[in-house]
Amino acid sequence: MDLIPYLYDFINFWQTVGPAKLVRFFWFALIFEFPRYVVFDFVFLTAYQISHFFNKGRRERARDCLFSERPLVSVIVPGRNEGENIYKLVRSLREQTYDNIEIIIVDDGSDDDTQQICTNLKNNNFIDLYLRCKIRGGKASASNLGLRYSNGKLLLLLDADSSFDRDAIENIMIPFYMDKKIGAIGGNVKVRNIDDSVCTSLQGIEYLKTISVGRAVASILGIYRTIPGAFGAFRREVVQRVGGWDIGPGLDGDITVKIRKLGYRIHFEKDAICFTNVPNSFRKLNKQRMRWYKSLVRFRIRKHKDIYLPTENFIFSNFMSFVENIFFNVILDIKWLIYLADMAYNYPSMVKFILPLNYITYLTFNILQFIAMMSLSERWKNDLKLAVYIPIVPIYAGLYMRIVRTVAYFQEIVFRKSYEDPWNPWKVSKKAMGEGL
């Protein structure tokens, strides 16, 4: 195809298309994508920023209460073969502005140098407790073991490969003193290794969009649904009431739902900054996301299906949280396939014009979203360098991730493949399947 004649035909084609045809060609983007991911986010992100601004005085009073009471915060770090990350994590924790913490490392059957490193850290009083499980039991088991031996009024659950801004623990604890109905708080997780590869740079943009912006919007709407395992804070009595963490994968979203069912609010704290490493290749990323998306079906469609039922414990915000999640992540995946089939069947000769303009449309959406991300970022000058990858994002998010999600949903709905994931020991997954967890 010669480029110049094609561009002439492309421009001429769209000049002759009326508004009705434009809607017909781009109904998926106009009806679903633009209102939800552009208009909706801008409106409620603005509301979040306004709320955050007017709550400054209230936050300062809450901060004073936090430092006046100085509750013990138990930092629980479950992990397996994290020897290379433990020292950097502990150093980051020991530099925190809030220092009344106990650090508990739970070694889930590691066969690297984790035991030697943690024993050395314990002997030199850099950590408070090192618990070693000789036989691997999974993250939920390790988290619950840490909970059992912890003493704090408030809990932090962290991934071993995380690091934090110096005021991260202080900032994530403040909302507990602003609202007694807040049961858990999610930190603002960002990608540390964004420069490793194109894959990590794209995830850097994705994290800014789905966590920094997406969860801020979800929080102001009262439908925030997943406390990240990399950086999450909990009231101790609330975690004990729900019985701790159930077997995953997806245990982070699962415990969040259990807390919401008790009537507690879930809050996102944008100023509590955590950095984590993400998969540096698409092969590793595919493996991670398959696990994440299978867990969505397992927990939000099967285990917690009572959320949708008008029982005496029905909570509308929980219902809307699930409906929004399932609609935009599962149902619209089917709609996306229907859209592609619609265009290919009804307008085969026009696809060469429709698909490029689709790309331009989604590129425009992503540019607008990136502007929203920068408005919320405390490191916007550093994050701005990710802008060069924006032209790839429509393909990454709109095609690659949709394919991964669709395959994961199919495998979980039809075959319940999450129980075969090696992320958990096979005996643990077998028991979870038998108990319907």
Side-chain angles (χ1 to χ4, degrees):
M1 181 186 296
D2 292 331
L3 182 60
I4 300 301
Y6 170 76
L7 289 176
Y8 176 81
D9 292 340
F10 180 83
I11 294 170
N12 185 60
F13 175 79
W14 290 114
Q15 284 178 336
T16 60
V17 171
K21 274 291 186 183
L22 277 174
V23 173
R24 178 66 182 89
F25 290 150
F26 300 106
W27 59 267
F28 186 82
L30 293 173
I31 295 174
F32 299 109
E33 304 278 1
F34 181 70
R36 169 61 182 86
Y37 295 109
V38 180
V39 176
F40 205 69
D41 277 2
F42 267 96
V43 169
F44 286 98
L45 182 60
T46 301
Y48 180 87
Q49 293 280 54
I50 292 172
S51 173
H52 201 268
F53 176 80
F54 282 105
N55 276 325
K56 281 185 177 180
R58 190 176 167 209
R59 286 181 61 83
E60 282 302 312
R61 291 191 293 273
R63 181 184 180 279
D64 291 342
C65 289
L66 170 67
F67 278 89
S68 174
E69 181 183 330
R70 285 182 54 79
L72 179 64
V73 176
S74 295
V75 180
I76 302 171
V77 187
R80 182 174 185 270
N81 292 339
E82 296 284 1
E84 63 177 340
N85 297 313
I86 293 295
Y87 178 74
K88 289 181 287 187
L89 169 69
V90 171
R91 183 175 62 183
S92 179
L93 293 173
R94 286 302 180 190
E95 293 174 348
Q96 290 294 303
T97 55
Y98 188 86
D99 59 2
N100 190 23
I101 63 175
E102 62 171 1
I103 302 175
I104 302 172
I105 308 292
V106 186
D107 179 357
D108 187 28
S110 296
D111 52 21
D112 65 351
D113 55 358
T114 295
Q115 183 177 12
Q116 179 183 350
I117 291 170
C118 289
T119 301
N120 182 56
L121 289 170
K122 176 66 174 66
N123 290 339
N124 288 281
N125 298 316
F126 286 107
I127 64 175
D128 298 277
L129 185 61
Y130 170 58
L131 303 170
R132 174 169 169 78
C133 306
K134 292 184 178 181
I135 300 175
R136 179 182 170 220
K139 186 176 181 180
S141 174
S143 301
N144 288 326
L145 181 63
L147 171 65
R148 178 182 175 186
Y149 283 92
S150 66
N151 300 293
K153 176 181 178 181
L154 301 171
L155 308 173
L156 271 180
L157 188 71
L158 310 179
D159 281 348
D161 63 349
S162 301
S163 59
F164 308 88
D165 279 1
R166 293 188 68 249
D167 58 358
I169 292 181
E170 171 187 334
N171 284 332
I172 203 170
M173 293 299 162
I174 286 174
F176 284 131
Y177 288 83
M178 294 175 67
D179 185 348
K180 292 182 179 180
K181 289 302 293 179
I182 291 177
I185 301 166
N188 191 355
V189 181
K190 297 191 171 189
V191 175
R192 180 167 53 205
N193 56 332
I194 56 172
D195 296 323
D196 281 7
S197 64
V198 172
C199 182
T200 59
S201 295
L202 288 170
Q203 289 174 82
I205 296 174
E206 182 184 21
Y207 273 53
L208 286 172
K209 179 164 60 174
T210 60
I211 296 181
S212 296
V213 173
R215 293 184 179 178
V217 171
S219 185
I220 195 94
L221 288 170
I223 60 173
Y224 179 26
R225 55 185 165 264
T226 303
I227 298 298
F231 191 26
F234 305 85
R235 294 188 190 273
R236 180 187 191 85
E237 71 270 17
V238 173
V239 175
Q240 290 176 327
R241 282 187 64 188
V242 300
W245 287 268
D246 285 350
I247 298 167
L251 69 165
D252 306 322
D254 178 51
I255 194 170
T256 308
V257 174
K258 293 197 296 181
I259 292 171
R260 289 183 64 99
K261 282 183 174 182
L262 292 179
Y264 285 96
R265 291 184 57 221
I266 308 297
H267 179 80
F268 171 77
E269 182 48 57
K270 78 176 186 69
D271 293 330
I273 308 296
C274 164
F275 290 91
T276 190
N277 288 329
V278 296
N280 58 9
S281 71
F282 287 103
R283 181 182 62 82
K284 295 176 183 177
L285 177 61
N286 182 71
K287 184 177 179 180
Q288 180 199 65
R289 297 309 172 86
M290 289 287 286
R291 182 174 73 244
W292 287 8
Y293 297 137
K294 288 173 190 173
S295 72
L296 186 151
V297 173
R298 177 168 162 181
F299 290 105
R300 300 195 189 282
I301 294 180
R302 289 204 301 268
K303 180 179 178 180
H304 294 291
K305 58 181 179 293
D306 57 312
I307 288 283
Y308 305 101
L309 305 176
T311 63
E312 60 180 352
N313 296 319
F314 179 84
I315 299 175
F316 184 72
S317 61
N318 291 347
F319 172 78
M320 287 306 302
S321 174
F322 269 43
V323 167
E324 189 269 347
N325 194 208
I326 297 301
F327 180 76
F328 283 99
N329 287 279
V330 180
I331 295 176
L332 286 196
D333 261 27
I334 300 171
K335 286 286 187 182
W336 167 67
L337 294 173
I338 292 172
Y339 172 77
L340 290 180
D342 174 29
M343 294 299 107
Y345 181 79
N346 291 303
Y347 305 102
S349 63
M350 302 177 188
V351 166
K352 63 182 180 181
F353 300 129
I354 295 172
L355 291 184
L357 193 59
N358 243 312
Y359 169 79
I360 294 170
T361 301
Y362 281 98
L363 177 60
T364 304
F365 289 176
N366 278 282
I367 291 171
L368 292 173
Q369 287 178 314
F370 193 76
I371 293 171
M373 297 175 213
M374 294 303 99
S375 74
L376 200 65
S377 176
E378 80 295 341
R379 288 174 171 84
W380 67 269
K381 290 182 179 179
N382 181 64
D383 293 334
L384 193 59
K385 65 184 179 182
L386 292 170
V388 298
Y389 296 97
I390 293 295
I392 312 175
V393 173
I395 299 171
Y396 169 77
L399 185 61
Y400 169 69
M401 276 302 166
R402 276 193 170 128
I403 292 172
V404 173
R405 282 200 302 268
T406 302
V407 173
Y409 296 154
F410 176 79
Q411 289 186 354
E412 185 62 20
I413 290 170
V414 178
F415 301 109
R416 301 197 174 196
K417 284 286 187 177
S418 64
Y419 293 101
E420 300 176 16
D421 197 301
W423 189 82
N424 265 329
W426 70 268
K427 60 182 180 180
V428 175
S429 291
K430 184 177 180 180
K431 182 175 178 60
M433 190 173 187
E435 296 184 4
L437 296 175

